[in-house]
Amino acid sequence: MLARIISATIVLLLLFGCAERPQQDLQLPMIGVLPGYGQLSGHVSGSELGVLPVVYAYNEDRSVGYTVFVVDGLYRVVNLIQGTYSITIRPAVGQLEGFREQTVSREVASGTHVRADFALDNVGPVKNYVGGIAYPDTKIATYEDIYPPGPGRDILERTCHGCHTIQFFPYNVNRAYSGGREPKTKDAWSFTVNRMHQGPAFGQIGNASMFDPAYLPPVDRDILVDYLAENFPSDALPRVVALESEPELNLDALRKAMFVEYVYREPTEFSAAPWPAPHQVDFDSGGNIWLAYTSCCIVSIDPRTGEQKAYKGHGGGHGIAVDQIDGSVWYSGRPDVVRHMDPRTGLVDYWNLGDQKELGSITQVFDSKGDLWLSLLGGGGLGKWDRSSDTIVWWKVPVLRSRPYGIIVDHKDKVWSADFHNGGVTRFDPETGEFVHFGLVKDDAASSIRRLGVDSKGMIWAATWGSRAFNNVKLYQLNPNTGAVIAHDVGIAYGAVYGAEADSKDNIWITPDNYISVYDQDTNQFTHYPIPVRSDTVKTTISRDDSVWFTYHNAGRYADYGGSAVVLYQDKDNIPTLAAYHSETSAGHHLSAYRGPVSAMVEGRQRIAQPEAINSKAYSEFAKSNGLLLNEDSVMRDESRRRLEGLIPD
């Protein structure tokens, strides 16, 4: 824990306006700056150990923001695109001590070194809360106060926290999944509990229930409903769980680090929260970054200049994959299975499997044959767009509560899925059609895993997004050859981890709420980087230079960020280029082994593929043997109701 050594009184002093502190000084050294860019640095008084300030420099002309940490009273920002900057000093995310923010303005020109000094004011303890979503003007209380101990809490932690965050229950105001909910009476709680452990997930026939009914035996069902109704009634004031501890931070790592965020907003369509927000960044062969901006558009940004281009009217969603062969873009977009855009013409093909509307893909990833794999969360399946035939086929996954969310293709072209509702991962062999499930979470409770990764040795990595009480956060390593699983404690309380990805050195990057963290396999240590704004950080995409790209999800919705692509540079003095390229050897870029042909031309039309799964007969037998509903009349298909209750993740 950072030591709490703070002076009793800190006198407000604003140094940046003094005549002896010039705004621009060409005599100041230009360290770690690429040609054509500027630099910002300064001194911060009052930044003793125990207070962690960050400096946020926002380019108002280009909508590009830079964040660095203040360590030992100093900070430095490099490679600033020229323009007008608002420069703010503020506490880092996830802190229990803070100070008053201060903002100044500076002009940064190419090749200049600008200075801005600060003095901290009003330093002292602050109340804070956990989680990656903003809850302004709400009551903060301890976990024990919000969740009184007893049998009811034990049951809730065992069943509900596998999918719904600890803030979901006490914050009875509708927010993004799973940040809040509609107020519920006891009857409403009873209805919801029944559907969670009895009805098929997402209203799809043949799906298992959201969580294993074994976690909620009949004797416990009424206890859970009574506990929910008593502690989270419909007329309760919204509350959130307090932050009570901070993770260990490595100041040497923070001293070197720099975040850069590229922000796209669509003010005419989305003038107020919640803004749509992307889940993932991908790169094209020219070093540009791409975002699928939910409900709005597809956006490309040149990270060297901040220049943006939006392809409006098509919408987006969780995933995006740029075909490095022809430059076309594949992306999620409900209710379609997947969409395919040609940036040269702006045309989009909208793919579907018959008239099935719950088969939208979450993730898209290429294999070395040039085919595109799709995770079909709602339908519990895996899809494949076959390049040679220009069509889509799919398989139902015969694993209870698999429901593929994130998928990867390993170095042998096997397809792995993160099993959203069963605490494990599943491997699919396209050559044999065989599915093999591997359990990771060794706990008799519901849990969920969002995305997974593979390192150069073929080891599979994943972490828990949801687990018992959301306070048992672990990173798992699976040896697929032996089935051996090793669990590593992440060390962040309530830090729902969305993804896990290996860099070129086989360090594993994960995304807990409010942090980007890396696990070093050699030292068995985690390093945590607080991100620039409170948010969940969803999927990473790592460049060939080991720069870590990600997006803000909830900050995009509720902190006025819109669609942001963010990059963490671990060493700001060693940035070879601001462009983003895939590594030729990474598991995320198997197209490096593919030589053609290109995909069929995008025609701007609806595309319909075979609605029946390849293994539909085998899956029907699997469903019957496991007592799953196969009668459509037994299925609740009211999507608006299910989405309102937070059953379908954003």
Side-chain angles (χ1 to χ4, degrees), residues 64 260-264 280-292 298-304 306-309 311 320 322 329 541 543 549-551 563-567 569 578-582:
V64 180
V260 183
E261 58 190 26
Y262 300 85
V263 182
Y264 176 81
Q280 179 182 350
V281 179
D282 201 19
F283 319 137
D284 65 21
S285 59
N288 303 301
I289 54 178
W290 289 79
L291 300 169
I298 300 301
V299 180
S300 67
I301 301 175
D302 185 339
R304 292 153 290 204
E307 182 179 356
Q308 305 173 349
K309 183 175 182 179
Y311 300 82
I320 187 167
V322 180
V329 181
T541 306
S543 77
W549 288 83
F550 61 97
T551 66
S564 299
V566 191
V567 57
Y569 295 108
L578 298 182
Y581 301 98
H582 283 292

Short mmCIF file of all heavy atoms in Angstrom, two decimals, residues 64 260-264 280-292 298-304 306-309 311 320 322 329 541 543 549-551 563-567 569 578-582:
data_model
loop_
_atom_site.label_atom_id
_atom_site.label_comp_id
_atom_site.label_asym_id
_atom_site.label_seq_id
_atom_site.Cartn_x
_atom_site.Cartn_y
_atom_site.Cartn_z
N VAL A 64 -7.60 14.63 -28.78
CA VAL A 64 -6.62 13.64 -28.34
C VAL A 64 -6.18 14.02 -26.92
O VAL A 64 -5.84 15.17 -26.66
CB VAL A 64 -5.40 13.60 -29.28
CG1 VAL A 64 -4.38 12.57 -28.79
CG2 VAL A 64 -5.84 13.29 -30.71
N VAL A 260 -2.47 7.56 -24.19
CA VAL A 260 -2.97 8.49 -25.19
C VAL A 260 -4.35 8.00 -25.62
O VAL A 260 -4.52 6.82 -25.93
CB VAL A 260 -2.05 8.59 -26.42
CG1 VAL A 260 -2.59 9.65 -27.39
CG2 VAL A 260 -0.62 8.93 -26.00
N GLU A 261 -5.33 8.91 -25.61
CA GLU A 261 -6.68 8.53 -26.00
C GLU A 261 -7.13 9.37 -27.19
O GLU A 261 -6.88 10.58 -27.26
CB GLU A 261 -7.65 8.69 -24.83
CG GLU A 261 -7.72 10.08 -24.25
CD GLU A 261 -8.49 10.14 -22.95
OE1 GLU A 261 -8.56 9.12 -22.24
OE2 GLU A 261 -9.02 11.23 -22.63
N TYR A 262 -7.77 8.71 -28.14
CA TYR A 262 -8.30 9.34 -29.35
C TYR A 262 -9.82 9.25 -29.26
O TYR A 262 -10.38 8.15 -29.26
CB TYR A 262 -7.78 8.63 -30.59
CG TYR A 262 -6.27 8.67 -30.71
CD1 TYR A 262 -5.49 7.70 -30.05
CD2 TYR A 262 -5.62 9.64 -31.44
CE1 TYR A 262 -4.10 7.72 -30.15
CE2 TYR A 262 -4.24 9.67 -31.55
CZ TYR A 262 -3.49 8.70 -30.89
OH TYR A 262 -2.12 8.73 -30.99
N VAL A 263 -10.48 10.39 -29.19
CA VAL A 263 -11.90 10.43 -28.86
C VAL A 263 -12.72 10.79 -30.08
O VAL A 263 -12.44 11.77 -30.77
CB VAL A 263 -12.17 11.46 -27.74
CG1 VAL A 263 -13.64 11.45 -27.36
CG2 VAL A 263 -11.30 11.16 -26.52
N TYR A 264 -13.74 9.97 -30.35
CA TYR A 264 -14.72 10.31 -31.39
C TYR A 264 -16.07 10.51 -30.74
O TYR A 264 -16.54 9.68 -29.98
CB TYR A 264 -14.83 9.21 -32.44
CG TYR A 264 -15.92 9.53 -33.45
CD1 TYR A 264 -15.67 10.39 -34.51
CD2 TYR A 264 -17.20 9.01 -33.32
CE1 TYR A 264 -16.65 10.73 -35.42
CE2 TYR A 264 -18.20 9.35 -34.22
CZ TYR A 264 -17.92 10.20 -35.26
OH TYR A 264 -18.91 10.55 -36.14
N GLN A 280 -13.76 -2.59 -28.67
CA GLN A 280 -12.50 -3.14 -29.18
C GLN A 280 -11.89 -2.22 -30.22
O GLN A 280 -12.58 -1.49 -30.93
CB GLN A 280 -12.80 -4.51 -29.81
CG GLN A 280 -11.61 -5.22 -30.40
CD GLN A 280 -11.99 -6.55 -31.03
OE1 GLN A 280 -13.12 -7.02 -30.87
NE2 GLN A 280 -11.07 -7.15 -31.76
N VAL A 281 -10.55 -2.27 -30.30
CA VAL A 281 -9.78 -1.56 -31.33
C VAL A 281 -9.14 -2.60 -32.24
O VAL A 281 -8.69 -3.65 -31.78
CB VAL A 281 -8.68 -0.70 -30.68
CG1 VAL A 281 -7.86 0.02 -31.75
CG2 VAL A 281 -9.28 0.31 -29.71
N ASP A 282 -9.09 -2.31 -33.53
CA ASP A 282 -8.28 -3.14 -34.43
C ASP A 282 -7.45 -2.21 -35.32
O ASP A 282 -7.70 -1.00 -35.39
CB ASP A 282 -9.15 -4.06 -35.27
CG ASP A 282 -8.36 -5.25 -35.81
OD1 ASP A 282 -7.28 -5.56 -35.25
OD2 ASP A 282 -8.80 -5.90 -36.78
N PHE A 283 -6.43 -2.78 -35.98
CA PHE A 283 -5.50 -2.01 -36.80
C PHE A 283 -5.62 -2.42 -38.26
O PHE A 283 -5.88 -3.59 -38.56
CB PHE A 283 -4.04 -2.25 -36.38
CG PHE A 283 -3.80 -2.31 -34.90
CD1 PHE A 283 -2.96 -3.28 -34.36
CD2 PHE A 283 -4.41 -1.41 -34.03
CE1 PHE A 283 -2.72 -3.34 -33.00
CE2 PHE A 283 -4.18 -1.46 -32.67
CZ PHE A 283 -3.33 -2.44 -32.14
N ASP A 284 -5.40 -1.48 -39.18
CA ASP A 284 -5.28 -1.87 -40.58
C ASP A 284 -3.81 -1.90 -40.98
O ASP A 284 -2.92 -1.61 -40.17
CB ASP A 284 -6.11 -0.95 -41.49
CG ASP A 284 -5.63 0.49 -41.52
OD1 ASP A 284 -4.46 0.77 -41.19
OD2 ASP A 284 -6.43 1.37 -41.89
N SER A 285 -3.53 -2.26 -42.21
CA SER A 285 -2.14 -2.44 -42.64
C SER A 285 -1.40 -1.11 -42.77
O SER A 285 -0.18 -1.09 -42.89
CB SER A 285 -2.09 -3.19 -43.97
OG SER A 285 -2.81 -2.47 -44.97
N GLY A 286 -2.14 0.02 -42.73
CA GLY A 286 -1.50 1.32 -42.82
C GLY A 286 -1.21 1.97 -41.48
O GLY A 286 -0.79 3.13 -41.43
N GLY A 287 -1.45 1.24 -40.37
CA GLY A 287 -1.16 1.77 -39.04
C GLY A 287 -2.29 2.56 -38.42
O GLY A 287 -2.13 3.14 -37.34
N ASN A 288 -3.48 2.58 -39.07
CA ASN A 288 -4.63 3.28 -38.52
C ASN A 288 -5.40 2.37 -37.57
O ASN A 288 -5.30 1.14 -37.64
CB ASN A 288 -5.56 3.73 -39.65
CG ASN A 288 -4.85 4.62 -40.65
OD1 ASN A 288 -4.33 5.67 -40.30
ND2 ASN A 288 -4.80 4.17 -41.90
N ILE A 289 -6.18 2.98 -36.67
CA ILE A 289 -6.99 2.22 -35.73
C ILE A 289 -8.46 2.33 -36.12
O ILE A 289 -8.90 3.33 -36.68
CB ILE A 289 -6.78 2.71 -34.28
CG1 ILE A 289 -7.02 4.22 -34.18
CG2 ILE A 289 -5.38 2.37 -33.81
CD1 ILE A 289 -6.88 4.78 -32.78
N TRP A 290 -9.23 1.27 -35.79
CA TRP A 290 -10.64 1.19 -36.17
C TRP A 290 -11.48 0.86 -34.94
O TRP A 290 -11.09 0.05 -34.11
CB TRP A 290 -10.84 0.12 -37.24
CG TRP A 290 -10.29 0.51 -38.58
CD1 TRP A 290 -8.98 0.48 -38.97
CD2 TRP A 290 -11.04 1.02 -39.69
NE1 TRP A 290 -8.86 0.93 -40.26
CE2 TRP A 290 -10.11 1.26 -40.74
CE3 TRP A 290 -12.39 1.26 -39.92
CZ2 TRP A 290 -10.50 1.75 -41.98
CZ3 TRP A 290 -12.79 1.75 -41.16
CH2 TRP A 290 -11.85 1.99 -42.17
N LEU A 291 -12.67 1.48 -34.89
CA LEU A 291 -13.63 1.25 -33.81
C LEU A 291 -15.00 0.96 -34.41
O LEU A 291 -15.40 1.57 -35.40
CB LEU A 291 -13.76 2.50 -32.93
CG LEU A 291 -12.52 3.03 -32.22
CD1 LEU A 291 -12.82 4.41 -31.63
CD2 LEU A 291 -12.10 2.08 -31.11
N ALA A 292 -15.72 0.03 -33.78
CA ALA A 292 -17.13 -0.17 -34.09
C ALA A 292 -17.92 0.56 -33.01
O ALA A 292 -18.03 0.10 -31.88
CB ALA A 292 -17.48 -1.66 -34.09
N ILE A 298 -18.91 3.27 -37.99
CA ILE A 298 -17.57 2.71 -37.93
C ILE A 298 -16.60 3.88 -38.10
O ILE A 298 -16.80 4.75 -38.95
CB ILE A 298 -17.34 1.67 -39.04
CG1 ILE A 298 -18.35 0.54 -38.91
CG2 ILE A 298 -15.91 1.14 -39.01
CD1 ILE A 298 -18.29 -0.20 -37.59
N VAL A 299 -15.55 3.92 -37.27
CA VAL A 299 -14.66 5.06 -37.24
C VAL A 299 -13.22 4.59 -37.41
O VAL A 299 -12.80 3.62 -36.76
CB VAL A 299 -14.79 5.84 -35.92
CG1 VAL A 299 -13.83 7.03 -35.89
CG2 VAL A 299 -16.23 6.31 -35.72
N SER A 300 -12.48 5.26 -38.28
CA SER A 300 -11.03 5.03 -38.37
C SER A 300 -10.32 6.30 -37.92
O SER A 300 -10.79 7.42 -38.17
CB SER A 300 -10.61 4.66 -39.79
OG SER A 300 -10.79 5.75 -40.67
N ILE A 301 -9.20 6.13 -37.23
CA ILE A 301 -8.42 7.26 -36.71
C ILE A 301 -6.95 7.01 -37.02
O ILE A 301 -6.44 5.91 -36.81
CB ILE A 301 -8.62 7.41 -35.19
CG1 ILE A 301 -10.11 7.63 -34.86
CG2 ILE A 301 -7.78 8.56 -34.64
CD1 ILE A 301 -10.41 7.66 -33.38
N ASP A 302 -6.28 8.04 -37.51
CA ASP A 302 -4.84 7.96 -37.71
C ASP A 302 -4.17 8.43 -36.42
O ASP A 302 -4.23 9.62 -36.09
CB ASP A 302 -4.42 8.87 -38.88
CG ASP A 302 -2.95 8.74 -39.23
OD1 ASP A 302 -2.16 8.28 -38.37
OD2 ASP A 302 -2.58 9.11 -40.36
N PRO A 303 -3.52 7.53 -35.67
CA PRO A 303 -2.94 7.93 -34.38
C PRO A 303 -1.73 8.85 -34.52
O PRO A 303 -1.30 9.43 -33.53
CB PRO A 303 -2.55 6.59 -33.74
CG PRO A 303 -2.38 5.65 -34.88
CD PRO A 303 -3.35 6.08 -35.93
N ARG A 304 -1.21 9.02 -35.72
CA ARG A 304 -0.09 9.93 -35.92
C ARG A 304 -0.54 11.39 -35.96
O ARG A 304 0.22 12.30 -35.63
CB ARG A 304 0.64 9.57 -37.22
CG ARG A 304 1.37 8.24 -37.16
CD ARG A 304 1.52 7.59 -38.52
NE ARG A 304 0.25 7.12 -39.04
CZ ARG A 304 0.12 6.13 -39.93
NH1 ARG A 304 1.20 5.53 -40.38
NH2 ARG A 304 -1.08 5.76 -40.36
N GLY A 306 -4.28 12.18 -35.34
CA GLY A 306 -5.59 12.33 -34.71
C GLY A 306 -6.71 12.51 -35.71
O GLY A 306 -7.87 12.65 -35.33
N GLU A 307 -6.41 12.48 -37.00
CA GLU A 307 -7.44 12.66 -38.02
C GLU A 307 -8.45 11.51 -37.96
O GLU A 307 -8.07 10.34 -37.86
CB GLU A 307 -6.81 12.72 -39.40
CG GLU A 307 -7.81 12.96 -40.53
CD GLU A 307 -7.15 13.04 -41.89
OE1 GLU A 307 -5.90 12.98 -41.95
OE2 GLU A 307 -7.86 13.18 -42.89
N GLN A 308 -9.74 11.84 -38.04
CA GLN A 308 -10.81 10.86 -37.90
C GLN A 308 -11.65 10.78 -39.17
O GLN A 308 -11.83 11.77 -39.88
CB GLN A 308 -11.74 11.26 -36.74
CG GLN A 308 -11.05 11.48 -35.42
CD GLN A 308 -12.00 12.02 -34.37
OE1 GLN A 308 -13.12 12.43 -34.66
NE2 GLN A 308 -11.55 12.03 -33.12
N LYS A 309 -12.18 9.58 -39.44
CA LYS A 309 -13.13 9.41 -40.53
C LYS A 309 -14.23 8.49 -40.05
O LYS A 309 -13.95 7.38 -39.56
CB LYS A 309 -12.46 8.83 -41.77
CG LYS A 309 -13.44 8.70 -42.95
CD LYS A 309 -12.75 8.24 -44.23
CE LYS A 309 -13.75 8.18 -45.38
NZ LYS A 309 -13.09 7.75 -46.65
N TYR A 311 -17.81 6.37 -40.83
CA TYR A 311 -18.70 5.76 -41.81
C TYR A 311 -20.05 5.62 -41.11
O TYR A 311 -20.30 4.67 -40.38
CB TYR A 311 -18.16 4.41 -42.27
CG TYR A 311 -16.78 4.50 -42.90
CD1 TYR A 311 -15.64 4.55 -42.11
CD2 TYR A 311 -16.64 4.56 -44.28
CE1 TYR A 311 -14.38 4.64 -42.68
CE2 TYR A 311 -15.38 4.65 -44.87
CZ TYR A 311 -14.26 4.70 -44.06
OH TYR A 311 -13.02 4.79 -44.62
N ILE A 320 -14.69 -6.00 -33.79
CA ILE A 320 -14.32 -5.49 -35.10
C ILE A 320 -13.05 -6.19 -35.54
O ILE A 320 -12.16 -6.46 -34.72
CB ILE A 320 -14.14 -3.96 -35.07
CG1 ILE A 320 -13.91 -3.41 -36.49
CG2 ILE A 320 -13.00 -3.55 -34.14
CD1 ILE A 320 -14.03 -1.90 -36.57
N VAL A 322 -10.35 -6.11 -38.95
CA VAL A 322 -9.97 -5.57 -40.25
C VAL A 322 -9.24 -6.65 -41.03
O VAL A 322 -8.26 -7.24 -40.54
CB VAL A 322 -9.07 -4.33 -40.08
CG1 VAL A 322 -8.68 -3.78 -41.45
CG2 VAL A 322 -9.78 -3.27 -39.25
N VAL A 329 -13.75 -4.41 -43.54
CA VAL A 329 -13.94 -4.39 -42.10
C VAL A 329 -15.16 -5.24 -41.74
O VAL A 329 -16.26 -5.01 -42.27
CB VAL A 329 -14.14 -2.95 -41.58
CG1 VAL A 329 -14.33 -2.94 -40.07
CG2 VAL A 329 -12.94 -2.08 -41.98
N THR A 541 -5.98 -4.87 -27.48
CA THR A 541 -5.36 -5.28 -28.74
C THR A 541 -3.93 -4.78 -28.69
O THR A 541 -3.69 -3.57 -28.59
CB THR A 541 -6.09 -4.68 -29.95
OG1 THR A 541 -7.48 -5.00 -29.88
CG2 THR A 541 -5.52 -5.25 -31.25
N SER A 543 -0.12 -4.13 -30.02
CA SER A 543 0.58 -3.89 -31.28
C SER A 543 1.91 -4.64 -31.31
O SER A 543 2.36 -5.20 -30.31
CB SER A 543 0.82 -2.40 -31.48
OG SER A 543 1.89 -1.97 -30.66
N TRP A 549 -3.56 -1.38 -26.65
CA TRP A 549 -4.73 -0.59 -27.05
C TRP A 549 -5.99 -1.17 -26.42
O TRP A 549 -6.14 -2.38 -26.29
CB TRP A 549 -4.87 -0.59 -28.57
CG TRP A 549 -3.82 0.23 -29.27
CD1 TRP A 549 -2.55 -0.15 -29.60
CD2 TRP A 549 -3.96 1.58 -29.71
NE1 TRP A 549 -1.89 0.87 -30.22
CE2 TRP A 549 -2.73 1.96 -30.32
CE3 TRP A 549 -5.01 2.51 -29.68
CZ2 TRP A 549 -2.53 3.21 -30.87
CZ3 TRP A 549 -4.81 3.76 -30.23
CH2 TRP A 549 -3.58 4.11 -30.81
N PHE A 550 -6.91 -0.28 -26.05
CA PHE A 550 -8.18 -0.71 -25.47
C PHE A 550 -9.18 0.41 -25.64
O PHE A 550 -8.89 1.44 -26.27
CB PHE A 550 -8.00 -1.09 -23.99
CG PHE A 550 -7.51 0.03 -23.11
CD1 PHE A 550 -8.40 0.79 -22.35
CD2 PHE A 550 -6.15 0.34 -23.03
CE1 PHE A 550 -7.95 1.82 -21.54
CE2 PHE A 550 -5.70 1.37 -22.21
CZ PHE A 550 -6.60 2.11 -21.47
N THR A 551 -10.37 0.24 -25.10
CA THR A 551 -11.40 1.28 -25.17
C THR A 551 -12.02 1.47 -23.80
O THR A 551 -11.95 0.60 -22.93
CB THR A 551 -12.53 0.91 -26.15
OG1 THR A 551 -13.24 -0.22 -25.65
CG2 THR A 551 -11.98 0.58 -27.53
N GLY A 563 -16.78 7.49 -28.13
CA GLY A 563 -16.00 6.33 -28.57
C GLY A 563 -14.53 6.60 -28.53
O GLY A 563 -14.00 7.29 -29.40
N SER A 564 -13.86 6.07 -27.55
CA SER A 564 -12.44 6.36 -27.36
C SER A 564 -11.58 5.13 -27.64
O SER A 564 -11.88 4.04 -27.16
CB SER A 564 -12.16 6.81 -25.92
OG SER A 564 -12.86 7.99 -25.63
N ALA A 565 -10.52 5.34 -28.41
CA ALA A 565 -9.46 4.35 -28.53
C ALA A 565 -8.30 4.84 -27.69
O ALA A 565 -7.87 5.99 -27.82
CB ALA A 565 -9.03 4.17 -29.98
N VAL A 566 -7.79 3.99 -26.79
CA VAL A 566 -6.78 4.40 -25.83
C VAL A 566 -5.58 3.46 -25.95
O VAL A 566 -5.75 2.26 -26.15
CB VAL A 566 -7.32 4.35 -24.39
CG1 VAL A 566 -6.36 5.03 -23.42
CG2 VAL A 566 -8.71 4.97 -24.30
N VAL A 567 -4.38 4.02 -25.83
CA VAL A 567 -3.17 3.20 -25.88
C VAL A 567 -2.33 3.49 -24.65
O VAL A 567 -2.18 4.64 -24.23
CB VAL A 567 -2.37 3.45 -27.17
CG1 VAL A 567 -1.99 4.91 -27.33
CG2 VAL A 567 -1.12 2.56 -27.23
N TYR A 569 1.46 3.26 -23.45
CA TYR A 569 2.88 3.06 -23.75
C TYR A 569 3.59 2.81 -22.43
O TYR A 569 3.58 3.66 -21.54
CB TYR A 569 3.46 4.29 -24.44
CG TYR A 569 2.87 4.57 -25.80
CD1 TYR A 569 2.00 5.65 -26.01
CD2 TYR A 569 3.17 3.76 -26.90
CE1 TYR A 569 1.46 5.91 -27.25
CE2 TYR A 569 2.64 4.02 -28.15
CZ TYR A 569 1.78 5.09 -28.32
OH TYR A 569 1.24 5.35 -29.56
N LEU A 578 3.93 6.16 -33.68
CA LEU A 578 2.58 6.29 -33.14
C LEU A 578 1.58 5.46 -33.94
O LEU A 578 0.44 5.30 -33.51
CB LEU A 578 2.15 7.76 -33.14
CG LEU A 578 2.98 8.70 -32.27
CD1 LEU A 578 2.40 10.12 -32.33
CD2 LEU A 578 3.05 8.22 -30.83
N ALA A 579 1.98 4.95 -35.09
CA ALA A 579 1.12 4.07 -35.86
C ALA A 579 0.97 2.73 -35.14
O ALA A 579 1.83 2.34 -34.35
CB ALA A 579 1.71 3.86 -37.26
N ALA A 580 -0.10 2.02 -35.43
CA ALA A 580 -0.39 0.75 -34.76
C ALA A 580 -0.43 -0.37 -35.80
O ALA A 580 -1.22 -0.30 -36.76
CB ALA A 580 -1.72 0.83 -34.02
N TYR A 581 0.41 -1.37 -35.59
CA TYR A 581 0.49 -2.50 -36.50
C TYR A 581 0.40 -3.81 -35.73
O TYR A 581 0.87 -3.90 -34.59
CB TYR A 581 1.80 -2.49 -37.29
CG TYR A 581 2.03 -1.26 -38.11
CD1 TYR A 581 2.83 -0.22 -37.63
CD2 TYR A 581 1.46 -1.12 -39.37
CE1 TYR A 581 3.05 0.93 -38.38
CE2 TYR A 581 1.68 0.03 -40.14
CZ TYR A 581 2.47 1.04 -39.63
OH TYR A 581 2.68 2.17 -40.37
N HIS A 582 -0.17 -4.83 -36.37
CA HIS A 582 -0.19 -6.15 -35.77
C HIS A 582 1.19 -6.81 -35.88
O HIS A 582 1.89 -6.64 -36.88
CB HIS A 582 -1.21 -7.06 -36.46
CG HIS A 582 -2.62 -6.79 -36.08
ND1 HIS A 582 -3.11 -7.06 -34.83
CD2 HIS A 582 -3.66 -6.28 -36.79
CE1 HIS A 582 -4.39 -6.73 -34.78
NE2 HIS A 582 -4.75 -6.25 -35.96
#
